[in-house]
Amino acid sequence: MTTSPNSPTALRITPKFNIEPVPLTHSWAGVVNIDQFKWLSWSAVHGALDMARKEIGAHTVRAVGMYGFANRVYDADPRGFKNPEHRGKRSNFSMLNTYFDGCIERGVTPMFTTCFTPDVLAKGDKTVFDQSGNVTPPRDMDEWEQFVELSVREMAHRYGRRRMREWLFEVWNEPNLEGGFWVGGQELWMEVWRRSFRAIKNVDADFRVGGPSTARGEWVGDLLDYGKSNDCLPDYIITHCYNNDADGDAALSPFDGPQTDKISKSPNFASGVIRGVKSICDSKNFTGEIHWNEWGRSWFPWDPERETENEAAFIWKTMAEVGDQADSFAYWNLSDIYNQVGYGRETFHANYGMLNQQNIRKPNYLAHQLLCRLKENRYGAEVQGGSDLVNSVCAGNEETRQVGVYAFQAPEGEAIAPRRVEIALEASEPFHRPKLFRITRNENNAVRRWEEAGSEPYMSPEDSGRWKDSSALREAPLSDIDVRTEGDARIVSFTLEGRGVAFLEWHREGFTQPMK
């Protein structure tokens, strides 16, 4: 395929490797999500965490419902089984210990998430997760504070304060979704925040407590104001955003960008909210970290587009645009082991996971693997034939150079045409051992291959193992990379067939000259 750089089916990238780079923070690595705490004892989840630690840099796992009924944090005393009327209730953290032990053994620490209200402490009976999580306020705030402090003290006794100073503590989950994960309004939740914050700090003032863990980027400024006035300023900010959150009440979301992007069909809504939250934190002189503990293109629990190469492109697009606007981005979610609206049956069933229930890698997982390959420096580039949706990231260090390309198709947007990607390098730029990876409809796409194979709902253990192995990130053939000379430049080119991600990496073998 031969094209001119000015052809609409060509993308020419001229990296500025001779200009001082900026640091590239790997904000997409570190924290991963599992639906609920109760899954943390499952062997398949342990397998997912093992993969995430080795392949996408996971060190912390977040799950909701730590105080949920399924975890028996308040339970009957079995010693009184002969006298049921006198059995009573007592705190019991045995199941939580099992979850924490299993994760810590594999090098991943669960986030300490104080949600939801144990039934025996709750004012009402509104629940989520098959009645496992009570989302009503505590009936007695003193009682709640004592319980939170007790649970933290028990963990500190078991794991040690020094270790726990590296942990992340989170208060509640999406309390702004009134009637969803909280019943009681903002004022009452702020009191829950203050009491929970104090309970945790009473155990160790250096434990890191974050909030408000809201949907759509809301309540961030409110919590910072409240925290300053009530001696409970968060150590770090937590919030969530999905690109189609504009289907809800987007007017409440902080937003930095054109108002035409404040709609769900815009590919830029999430980026605008992320910049908006950063702007609020800066305006209030907040110097702590910002964590997006849930994010993605779609919050829908069934969204077939999520399992395509286009999701990989969206992840790259968003991180390229706003990855430097926060310290952590935890894509929702790591695994298809999930049952908030029903438990999925099919091998691939358009759920949230980057891994399916058998830990077969999807394109969105592979997108994170490629992001994690990026080196520590980001370089500028001149791009011809690109757009807001088709662009690149140039990275590297003295030993390695990298160019990542993403091509995202917006909702109801025009199809992304196949294009020739041309990377123009100085002729003196060392170029050794190139590797090319692509996530497209036909490459590194286990979901697409499963569909072509007949979409079998259930896989045998043997088949699952084979599919898991074959879903590992694979290089394109070296013959797919073309290198030619054009004047005083070296042109490295390859084809990207439609939407997706391409990633070219090469070594600067033997290079010792200082960077300009």
Side-chain angles (χ1 to χ4, degrees):
M1 177 179 178
T2 303
T3 60
S4 160
N6 295 321
S7 166
T9 56
L11 177 71
R12 173 167 284 207
I13 302 160
T14 305
K16 303 297 184 181
F17 289 133
N18 60 337
I19 296 177
E20 188 72 21
V22 296
L24 181 61
T25 301
H26 282 211
S27 54
W28 46 79
V31 181
V32 294
N33 281 292
I34 293 293
D35 169 39
Q36 298 171 54
F37 249 82
K38 66 182 181 182
W39 304 126
L40 292 179
S41 62
W42 281 36
S43 61
V45 170
H46 285 174
L49 294 177
D50 285 337
M51 292 173 63
R53 180 181 60 81
K54 295 173 185 175
E55 297 178 347
I56 58 173
H59 57 65
T60 297
V61 56
R62 173 182 176 269
V64 295
M66 194 178 87
Y67 290 159
F69 177 77
N71 302 326
R72 302 298 195 271
V73 293
Y74 252 106
D75 203 9
D77 185 345
R79 296 174 299 179
F81 77 98
K82 289 186 177 180
N83 300 292
E85 67 276 15
H86 299 302
R87 288 177 68 182
K89 296 280 186 178
R90 62 175 183 172
S91 61
N92 184 348
F93 305 116
S94 296
M95 294 185 73
L96 295 187
N97 291 340
T98 299
Y99 302 148
F100 273 77
D101 287 352
C103 294
I104 290 171
E105 285 172 3
R106 40 199 21 91
V108 181
T109 303
M111 191 178 296
F112 197 107
T113 57
T114 62
C115 69
F116 295 101
T117 312
D119 289 342
V120 72
L121 302 180
K123 181 180 293 186
D125 57 8
K126 167 73 174 174
T127 60
V128 292
F129 306 154
D130 296 332
Q131 301 181 340
S132 180
N134 192 306
V135 296
T136 66
R139 66 188 182 193
D140 184 306
M141 287 295 181
D142 289 338
E143 196 175 34
W144 167 261
E145 185 175 343
Q146 292 165 11
F147 172 74
V148 173
E149 182 172 337
L150 175 64
S151 67
V152 178
R153 286 194 183 280
E154 288 294 326
M155 289 287 182
H157 175 73
R158 185 178 183 85
Y159 300 109
R161 295 185 183 186
R162 180 177 298 178
R163 170 186 278 177
M164 288 176 62
R165 287 171 190 151
E166 301 300 317
W167 291 11
L168 298 172
F169 291 78
E170 177 183 35
V171 176
W172 217 261
N173 173 69
E174 298 186 343
N176 61 318
L177 298 186
E178 182 75 22
F181 294 110
W182 171 249
V183 178
Q186 187 191 74
E187 183 177 353
L188 187 54
W189 183 81
M190 289 292 181
E191 178 66 5
V192 169
W193 161 263
R194 186 178 71 86
R195 295 299 195 105
S196 303
F197 181 94
R198 187 166 66 185
I200 296 166
K201 295 290 189 176
N202 280 345
V203 180
D204 194 305
D206 291 329
F207 286 174
R208 294 186 292 164
V209 188
S213 196
T214 42
R216 302 187 296 257
E218 297 174 13
W219 291 15
V220 170
D222 297 332
L223 180 61
L224 291 175
D225 291 341
Y226 181 89
K228 288 179 181 177
S229 300
N230 294 276
D231 196 26
C232 54
L233 186 69
D235 296 300
Y236 67 107
I237 285 295
I238 304 170
T239 189
H240 307 162
C241 183
Y242 297 90
N243 199 68
N244 65 346
D245 273 339
D247 283 337
D249 193 353
L252 299 177
S253 297
F255 195 82
D256 184 353
Q259 289 302 299
T260 52
D261 280 335
K262 208 171 181 181
I263 58 173
S264 63
K265 292 180 180 178
S266 165
N268 306 314
F269 177 75
S271 293
V273 175
I274 291 164
R275 286 191 297 265
V277 165
K278 179 67 164 61
S279 179
I280 286 175
C281 291
D282 289 347
S283 70
K284 294 183 179 294
N285 298 314
F286 179 73
T287 58
E289 293 184 350
I290 301 173
H291 290 212
W292 291 89
N293 276 358
E294 292 184 25
W295 81 280
R297 184 188 51 80
S298 171
W299 63 265
F300 297 163
W302 182 83
D303 190 331
E305 187 75 354
R306 189 186 290 114
E307 295 186 327
T308 71
E309 68 282 358
N310 206 39
E311 189 79 359
F314 177 78
I315 290 167
W316 263 76
K317 172 188 177 297
T318 307
M319 291 298 93
E321 292 172 347
V322 294
D324 62 348
Q325 297 290 294
D327 299 273
S328 176
F329 287 89
Y331 182 89
W332 183 268
N333 161 323
L334 178 62
S335 173
D336 274 347
I337 296 174
Y338 170 95
N339 78 335
Q340 292 186 28
V341 294
Y343 197 80
R345 184 188 71 173
E346 292 78 12
T347 300
F348 295 103
H349 52 272
N351 210 319
Y352 289 114
M354 295 189 285
L355 301 170
N356 82 336
Q357 294 170 356
Q358 293 78 34
N359 291 333
I360 301 171
R361 303 167 185 85
K362 301 181 189 179
N364 47 10
Y365 182 90
L366 300 181
H368 279 81
Q369 276 194 271
L370 289 180
L371 282 169
C372 288
R373 289 182 73 98
L374 290 170
K375 299 301 182 181
E376 64 271 21
N377 297 321
R378 182 170 181 173
Y379 295 86
E382 178 184 325
V383 180
Q384 294 175 276
S387 67
D388 289 343
L389 306 183
V390 181
N391 214 319
S392 65
V393 175
C394 299
N397 54 28
E398 290 192 4
E399 292 78 33
T400 305
R401 301 297 204 205
Q402 300 160 320
V403 176
V405 178
Y406 55 87
F408 176 69
Q409 181 181 357
E412 301 181 4
E414 293 183 5
I416 300 293
R419 67 192 60 229
R420 192 72 171 171
V421 178
E422 299 181 334
I423 301 171
L425 305 175
E426 293 183 358
S428 60
E429 167 69 27
F431 187 82
H432 302 280
R433 292 178 287 149
K435 294 182 179 181
L436 174 64
F437 302 89
R438 289 180 292 213
I439 304 171
T440 66
R441 178 178 174 85
N442 297 310
E443 293 177 276
N444 284 306
N445 196 329
V447 181
R448 173 65 177 163
R449 289 191 291 109
W450 170 77
E451 292 170 347
E452 292 174 339
S455 304
E456 179 66 29
Y458 304 106
M459 280 188 179
S460 68
E462 295 77 15
D463 285 343
S464 295
R466 285 192 292 269
W467 277 81
K468 178 183 173 183
D469 291 343
S470 68
S471 70
L473 185 65
R474 297 179 185 275
E475 293 179 44
L478 191 60
S479 59
D480 284 3
I481 305 172
D482 179 67
V483 182
R484 72 180 191 273
T485 299
E486 187 178 285
D488 60 354
R490 177 191 288 115
I491 308 299
V492 182
S493 61
F494 54 85
T495 300
L496 178 58
E497 295 288 349
R499 61 190 195 172
V501 175
F503 185 91
L504 182 69
E505 174 182 275
W506 65 95
H507 292 270
R508 313 181 75 234
E509 200 169 73
F511 183 78
T512 58
Q513 179 182 339
M515 299 293 293
K516 295 180 181 179

